[in-house]
Amino acid sequence: MTAYPPDRHDFSRSAPVRLWEDGFAADPHRYYAALRAQGPIGWAELAPGVPAYVVTERRAALEVLRDTERFSHDPRAWEETVPADSPVLGMMRWRPNALFADGGAHVRYRTTLLDVFDLLEPHDLRARVHRAVRLLVGRIGPRGEADLVADFSRPLMALVFNDLFGMPLSAGDRLDATLGRMMEGGAGAAEGEAEYARYVLELIAAKAERRGDDLPSRLLDHPAGLTPEEVTWQVFLTLGAGYEPTANLVSNTLSRILGNPVYYSTLTSGARPVMDAVVEVLHHETPLTNYGIYYAREPVACHGVWLRDAVPVVVSFGALTSFAEQADTGGRHPGDASHLSWGAGPHACPVKQHTLLIVTEAIEQLTQWLPDLDPVLPRERLGWRPGPFHRSLTALPVRFTPRSPDHPGVES
């Protein structure tokens, strides 16, 4: 039996805060408050029977994010402790890519991603977003009503990322459905993971046979010499990590903008940049809430808690931003990164600028084409998708004056 230091708390016999409950999606602040009441590090469940330490305090979070000597991203020891049908395995199981690697392997994988994304010129990415927005406005504009989640933010990401990764636009619905099920971590998670894996395998097989002007082809030809399997799992990571959180960031930002008429008017008039709203969401409603997942390399004391190995240590960006929302007095600068939503340390987001460009351009273009978006429901009545890892709206219904791309509301 493990002996714990007398001055360190062990949660192994405490009731965990259940982040997999439907109530968590409806009111995450209550769950984060319960975690913070336990101290800088709390005790939770990511799924039934899957416990985790959850870091809710900034100083402790930075320590975990930056300390590569004590903490690892490799989940394989943990995987041996959970059932094969656990609904969170799709998001947490080990794969040979940048997310789950440490040391030299991580540097090798991360360098390939940085190199191929550096070849993507901002003006090219901007043009891809503009084309996608125009296509979607062509679909929804004449109707005078839309769901900005199902009709805009999610299909927008399918269009942009399928374009970047060399898949036909017609494959967008398949990508959207598979990633959504895997992210939610519920009964359909295993099916979503398997279907998404098939999607990526088919993509890499096609690119291995015939290269194109796309990110997978550049990874296959990178001088680091990644194997087709390694490229597959790099794409599995980057396509999923790009699609789902970015779609959520677009819809969460739109909901905040439209829920505040004064805010909306200053954005559409150009008096206030969209980036202000994006940064506000990253501070208060970050789209990837509990996915900074680490593992103690051996049992270790950290901020008054004895952390066992083979148990996830989750840096909760959602808890950090939830606390910031309660404490915020306003006046943040757009460059303020104290929210930690991009992570920190060696595993900080490598494509932050690309993500911000996609989100800001998408919202600016949409509000130029459709400048009188009017939410159907007040913000407090909007629904949120279940799942321990994300903050994601189920729908964002709006009305507006019907328009087509040939007759926009504002010249673009």
Side-chain angles (χ1 to χ4, degrees):
M1 184 174 179
T2 303
Y4 296 99
D7 60 339
R8 296 291 184 263
H9 183 54
D10 172 53
F11 291 116
S12 58
R13 294 184 180 140
S14 302
V17 177
R18 298 189 293 188
L19 301 182
W20 50 268
E21 291 181 338
D22 290 344
F24 173 63
D27 183 13
H29 300 288
R30 177 165 60 91
Y31 289 73
Y32 291 142
L35 285 168
R36 282 196 296 271
Q38 300 176 21
I41 301 176
W43 184 240
E45 277 188 338
L46 302 177
V50 182
Y53 302 104
V54 179
V55 183
T56 62
E57 190 267 334
R58 178 182 173 82
R59 190 162 54 93
L62 286 170
E63 185 173 318
V64 172
L65 291 167
R66 292 170 174 169
D67 189 344
T68 59
E69 296 297 320
R70 294 194 300 165
F71 297 99
S72 167
H73 255 289
D74 189 329
R76 282 176 285 189
W78 166 79
E79 283 184 55
E80 296 176 1
T81 70
V82 295
D85 61 351
S86 174
V88 293
L89 264 177
M91 293 291 292
M92 296 176 64
R93 75 168 83 244
W94 181 85
R95 301 178 182 97
N97 62 33
L99 181 60
F100 299 108
D102 299 311
H106 172 252
V107 171
R108 176 170 173 261
Y109 290 141
R110 184 180 174 92
T111 298
T112 64
L113 295 180
L114 290 170
D115 288 347
V116 299
F117 274 96
D118 280 349
L119 295 173
L120 183 59
E121 296 289 346
H123 68 84
D124 177 42
L125 182 56
R126 186 175 292 109
R128 293 173 193 258
V129 175
H130 288 196
R131 287 196 300 270
V133 172
R134 184 182 179 90
L135 177 61
L136 294 173
V137 169
R139 295 175 184 173
I140 67 176
R143 299 189 337 224
E145 61 181 13
D147 171 6
L148 294 183
V149 174
D151 297 329
F152 184 72
S153 64
R154 297 189 71 81
L156 175 77
M157 293 309 126
L159 291 169
V160 171
F161 282 95
N162 274 340
D163 194 15
L164 289 171
F165 283 80
M167 284 290 274
L169 300 185
S170 59
D173 289 345
R174 180 183 173 197
L175 177 62
D176 180 33
T178 59
L179 279 172
R181 289 199 296 272
M182 186 174 76
M183 176 69 77
E184 288 179 4
E191 181 184 350
E193 178 194 7
E195 180 58 29
Y196 177 50
R198 282 192 291 271
Y199 184 94
V200 175
L201 284 167
E202 291 170 14
L203 167 61
I204 301 307
K207 298 306 171 184
E209 182 175 335
R210 183 177 181 180
R211 302 290 198 270
D213 182 20
D214 51 61
L215 297 177
S217 296
R218 293 170 188 169
L219 283 171
L220 286 164
D221 292 334
H222 193 278
L226 298 183
T227 67
E229 180 188 13
E230 288 176 317
V231 172
T232 297
W233 295 121
Q234 286 280 77
V235 170
F236 188 99
L237 165 65
T238 52
L239 182 55
Y243 181 100
E244 186 75 26
T246 310
N248 295 343
L249 185 54
V250 169
S251 55
N252 291 3
T253 302
L254 281 168
S255 75
R256 280 190 171 253
I257 291 172
L258 300 180
N260 185 334
V262 175
Y263 201 167
Y264 185 30
S265 66
T266 61
L267 287 170
T268 55
S269 68
R272 189 175 191 181
V274 169
M275 184 65 78
D276 282 8
V278 174
V279 170
E280 184 176 308
V281 168
L282 291 170
H283 273 286
H284 301 320
E285 204 160 64
T286 191
L288 205 57
T289 51
N290 297 304
Y291 201 54
I293 304 176
Y294 293 76
Y295 302 86
R297 295 182 184 274
E298 58 185 26
V300 63
C302 185
H303 289 263
V305 175
W306 187 251
L307 303 179
R308 292 173 287 155
D309 54 347
V311 177
V313 180
V314 179
V315 176
S316 177
F317 306 116
L320 295 171
T321 58
S322 173
F323 177 75
E325 180 160 31
Q326 296 175 5
D328 190 19
T329 57
R332 294 191 183 277
H333 186 274
D336 183 357
S338 61
H339 49 76
L340 291 184
S341 289
W342 304 111
H347 283 270
C349 177
V351 290
K352 169 184 172 182
Q353 296 306 323
H354 298 80
T355 303
L356 290 173
L357 188 151
I358 291 171
V359 173
T360 54
E361 290 292 330
I363 294 173
E364 287 174 1
Q365 288 295 300
L366 175 67
T367 54
Q368 285 180 1
W369 289 111
L370 304 174
D372 60 346
L373 295 169
D374 183 26
V376 172
L377 297 173
R379 198 163 190 276
E380 60 270 17
R381 290 181 56 195
L382 296 175
W384 300 87
R385 291 165 57 203
F389 302 117
H390 62 176
R391 183 67 172 157
S392 175
L393 285 165
T394 57
L396 181 57
V398 295
R399 300 188 185 97
F400 49 87
T401 302
R403 290 185 178 89
S404 72
D406 295 328
H407 299 88
V410 178
E411 290 297 322
S412 61

